[in-house]
Amino acid sequence: AQRVTQPEKLLSVFKGAPVELKCNYSYSGSPELFWYVQYSRQRLQLLLRHISRESIKGFTADLNKGETSFHLKKPFAQEEDSAMYYCALSGRYSGGGADGLTFGKGTHLIIQP
Amino acid sequence: DTGVSQDPRHKITKRGQNVTFRCDPISEHNRLYWYRQTLGQGPEFLTYFQNEAQLEKSRLLSDRFSAERPKGSFSTLEIQRTEQGDSAMYLCASSSRDRVTGELFFGEGSRLTVL
C-alpha cells in the first residue's frame, strides 16, 4: 500500500539557519511527489512538485528513488516560512481519483527570530 | 474570490443528527475531491468526482456518508446519524484535467464538531 511518512511533527529552527523537512514514501511504481503548505489561517496550497525541479520561495526538493525520499530543503530559513508542511504522493494506485493525493501527517515548521 | 468555497465553515451538532456540507469548486474545474482531516493528521481522501460522476470512494466513506455533484458544478457531502468520531475538518478541492497533475485547489474547509 502507498504511504507517506513525515517523521517530525514539529521542527523549530532559527532564522537564517538551514531547514530540511523529511519525507519518505512507499509506493510500488513511479509516483509523483509534492509538497503542500498551509500558512496560519490560510488554505492548503501547492508549494512544489518533483517533476518541476524548480525552487519555490527558496525551497527545493529532490526525489531520491533509491532512498524513497523527497526531503524539502531551504538554505536560509525566514520567519515567513513558519507553517504546516505536508508531503503528498500521487500515483496510479494511490487512490483518490485522477489527481488524488495521499498525504503525510505534516510537519509544523517554526522559525524563531 | 474565485477560489474553492465551502459552507458552512463551522458546524456543531448533536450525535445522531444529519449534517450537509456544500462545496463550490473553481468554475472551470471538472474534478472535485472531498478529504477529511482530523487533529494531527494529514488530509485523507474520501471521494472524487469527474463532472457529475462519482468515480471513486474511499473505504473511509461509510454508508452514513453520501456525496453528490448534480450537474457537475457544486457538490454536497451529507453525513447521516453523526457520531463523535465524525468530528473533523472536511476539505473540498478541485482541479482541472488541463492543469498540472497533482495541483489541487483547496477550500478553507468545514469544521464539524459532534457533541
Side-chain angles (χ1 to χ4, degrees):
Chain A
Q2 57 281 343
R3 186 168 60 245
V4 176
T5 303
Q6 294 180 250
E8 304 135 330
K9 291 182 71 172
L10 174 67
L11 182 63
S12 180
V13 302
F14 287 100
K15 176 182 173 182
V19 173
E20 182 178 47
L21 287 79
K22 291 184 167 51
C23 172
N24 289 89
Y25 68 91
S26 63
Y27 183 75
S28 54
S30 294
E32 290 190 49
L33 275 296
F34 309 85
W35 279 97
Y36 273 74
V37 61
Q38 187 167 26
Y39 301 103
S40 179
R41 299 188 190 86
Q42 294 187 28
R43 59 190 71 192
L44 194 59
Q45 59 187 288
L46 177 67
L47 178 63
L48 56 77
R49 309 184 307 139
H50 91 266
I51 283 180
S52 300
R53 304 180 73 84
E54 57 193 343
S55 173
I56 304 292
K57 299 184 179 183
F59 284 98
T60 58
D62 292 317
L63 179 61
N64 186 323
K65 292 186 178 181
E67 296 183 357
T68 59
S69 68
F70 188 57
H71 303 326
L72 183 68
K73 300 177 184 180
K74 184 169 183 176
F76 307 104
Q78 298 171 291
E79 289 186 67
E80 54 264 35
D81 296 329
S82 295
M84 280 295 299
Y85 290 81
Y86 295 94
C87 184
L89 175 157
S90 176
R92 180 179 176 186
Y93 302 108
S94 66
D99 287 320
L101 298 170
T102 299
F103 286 88
K105 293 185 178 182
T107 297
H108 187 187
L109 177 63
I110 297 174
I111 308 301
Q112 299 190 51
Chain B
D1 185 16
T2 56
V4 177
S5 61
Q6 294 188 241
D7 183 71
R9 295 288 309 281
H10 303 275
K11 178 72 176 178
I12 300 173
T13 191
K14 292 183 179 179
R15 188 177 54 185
Q17 298 295 304
N18 299 343
V19 296
T20 299
F21 301 114
R22 177 182 169 120
C23 171
D24 286 273
I26 293 171
S27 59
E28 64 267 27
H29 286 181
N30 61 338
R31 297 173 175 173
L32 186 146
Y33 309 79
W34 284 99
Y35 285 81
R36 182 178 71 183
Q37 186 172 23
T38 53
L39 198 62
Q41 303 292 319
E44 298 172 294
F45 167 74
L46 292 179
T47 190
Y48 156 66
F49 290 85
Q50 182 152 308
N51 301 311
E52 66 277 6
Q54 188 174 18
L55 297 186
E56 199 162 341
K57 293 194 286 187
S58 161
R59 56 181 172 79
L60 292 176
L61 212 67
S62 75
D63 51 12
R64 295 185 298 105
F65 288 69
S66 62
E68 295 181 338
R69 192 184 182 196
K71 303 177 184 177
S73 56
F74 72 92
S75 175
T76 58
L77 177 68
E78 181 183 15
I79 308 174
Q80 296 183 323
R81 305 181 303 281
T82 52
E83 301 173 356
Q84 288 185 325
D86 297 332
S87 295
M89 178 74 85
Y90 290 86
L91 296 168
C92 178
S94 68
S95 72
S96 167
R97 65 186 300 173
D98 296 325
R99 293 192 65 88
V100 295
T101 301
E103 185 170 15
L104 271 59
F105 292 82
F106 283 86
E108 294 179 292
S110 293
R111 182 173 297 282
L112 173 65
T113 301
V114 182
L115 302 176

